Amino acid sequence: MPHYTHMGVMKIAVAQIGSVRGAALQNAETVAGWLERAAADGCAFVAFPECGLTGYVFHDRAGLAGAAIPASGPEVALIVETCRRLAIHTVVGLFERDGERVYNTALLIGPQGVVGSHRKRHLPFLGGDRFADEPGGIEPSVFDTPVGKIGIAICYEIRFPEVVRTLVLSGAEIVVLPTNWPAQSHILADLFTPVRAAENFVYFLAANRNDTEDRSEFMGSSQIVDPTGHVLVHAGTQTGLFAAEVDLNRSRDKRIVFESGEFEISPFRDRKPGTYRL
C-alpha cells in the first residue's frame, strides 16, 4: 500500500502506457490495473498520459464528441473506486463531455473522489484539440491533497512558461503534465521538461504515451524531474510504471545555497513582477 517515510517524503510514479481510441471502459480498466501495481509498490501518486481514457487522434468534431465521456460516468467511477480501495492519488486524462461541449481534461482523483480538474486552455492545431472547446475561467489548477499541493497543465501548455510559473506561484509542489508528445517533440522532453522543473524549483512529472494511434506515433520519454532539473527517472520507450522517491521540502525551498552567507541565490524572492508588464 502507499506509504510515507516522513512528512513530505514519498514514492510517486508516472505510468507510460498506450490507449485504445473510443474504448473508454477498457482504458479505465487498464488504468485501474496499473494503480494496483503502483499501490503494491508503495506509490502514493501516479500520473497517466493525456486523454488516456478516450484516445486523442480525432479527425472531426463528431468523432471527438462520440468518444468523449462525462466526468460522472462509469469509467471515472471505476478509477475513483480503485483509488478509494488502494488509498492512492492519480491524474488521468480524457476528452470530457459536458453538455454540448467537449474539453481536453485531466482529473485529479483520490480516495475521496475527484479532487479537481484542469481543462486544457492552450489548444494546438493537432488531433482532437482542433475540435475541442476552450474552457472559461482563469484560476490556476492547483489542488491541496494529502500527497502535497498538485498543479496540473496538459501537453502543449509546457510551451508557455507562464503556465507552470503561475501554478508554482499558487503553491504547487508537484506539477503534473499529462501529454501526448508525438515523435517530433523531442525538444519538449529533452529540454523543456528539466528547465520547467529547475526554473520553478518544483518536482515535474511528464506522463506520455509510447504507442501508435491512427498512424500517429508517440515517443514516450515520460519522466520525473527534481527541483534542480535532475531527471530522477526516464521511461525511454518502454511500457510500465516508473517511480522515484521525492521530498517535497525541496519544492518548498526556493533558494540555492552554494556557500551560506556568501553565495546564495533566491530567484523567487528576487523576482521583480512590476518590471515584467508590457
Side-chain angles (χ1 to χ4, degrees):
M1 296 294 288
H3 67 279
Y4 307 86
T5 53
H6 60 78
M7 185 63 69
V9 178
M10 61 187 169
K11 193 173 187 180
I12 63 177
V14 290
Q16 183 160 283
I17 61 174
S19 177
V20 180
R21 184 176 55 184
L25 187 56
Q26 177 183 336
N27 292 325
E29 290 169 347
T30 298
V31 166
W34 285 107
L35 287 171
E36 295 271 4
R37 299 188 198 189
D41 195 36
C43 294
F45 176 82
V46 186
F48 287 89
E50 177 185 17
C51 295
L53 296 184
T54 55
Y56 178 77
V57 183
F58 296 93
H59 302 289
D60 53 45
R61 173 73 180 202
L64 174 67
I69 59 174
S72 59
E75 302 87 0
V76 173
L78 172 62
I79 297 170
V80 167
E81 172 55 27
T82 303
C83 288
R84 184 201 62 74
R85 179 168 50 82
L86 299 175
I88 197 169
H89 284 75
T90 188
V91 166
V92 295
L94 66 153
F95 275 118
E96 176 198 4
R97 186 172 69 249
D98 184 2
E100 296 299 314
R101 301 179 71 80
V102 176
Y103 302 105
N104 183 336
T105 299
L107 297 177
L108 173 59
I109 299 172
Q112 67 275 53
V114 176
V115 178
S117 69
H118 173 68
R119 289 170 169 173
K120 191 175 184 179
R121 298 183 176 119
H122 303 76
L123 299 169
F125 193 74
L126 178 69
D129 280 331
R130 294 174 293 170
F131 315 107
D133 294 300
E134 183 178 333
I138 60 171
E139 288 301 310
S141 300
V142 178
F143 308 98
D144 201 353
T145 79
V147 298
K149 295 179 180 177
I150 296 176
I152 306 174
I154 299 175
C155 197
Y156 184 50
E157 294 180 319
I158 196 175
R159 285 191 174 272
F160 302 86
E162 302 90 343
V163 172
V164 179
R165 175 54 56 90
T166 301
L167 294 175
V168 176
L169 288 173
S170 300
E173 298 161 336
I174 300 171
V175 172
V176 180
L177 187 87
T179 186
N180 275 186
W181 285 330
Q184 300 90 336
S185 296
H186 276 284
I187 190 173
L188 301 181
D190 298 343
L191 298 180
F192 281 56
T193 298
V195 167
R196 291 291 170 267
E199 70 187 359
N200 290 291
F201 294 78
V202 73
Y203 284 102
F204 196 99
L205 279 64
N208 193 30
R209 297 170 62 171
N210 63 334
D211 63 339
T212 300
E213 182 184 325
D214 193 26
R215 301 187 302 279
S216 293
E217 296 182 11
F218 301 101
M219 68 177 185
S221 295
S222 300
Q223 51 198 289
I224 299 173
V225 185
D226 79 5
T228 68
H230 175 66
V231 178
L232 299 177
V233 63
H234 193 292
T237 60
Q238 301 301 304
T239 297
L241 200 67
F242 299 85
E245 187 173 273
V246 301
D247 181 354
L248 296 189
N249 292 302
R250 296 185 62 198
S251 286
R252 296 162 185 158
D253 185 358
K254 303 301 185 186
R255 304 171 303 150
I256 300 176
V257 179
F258 296 97
E259 185 178 348
S260 182
E262 295 289 337
F263 185 5
E264 304 180 5
I265 60 172
S266 301
F268 269 61
R269 183 198 65 192
D270 298 337
R271 294 173 67 250
K272 303 291 183 185
T275 71
Y276 306 149
R277 294 187 177 187
L278 294 176

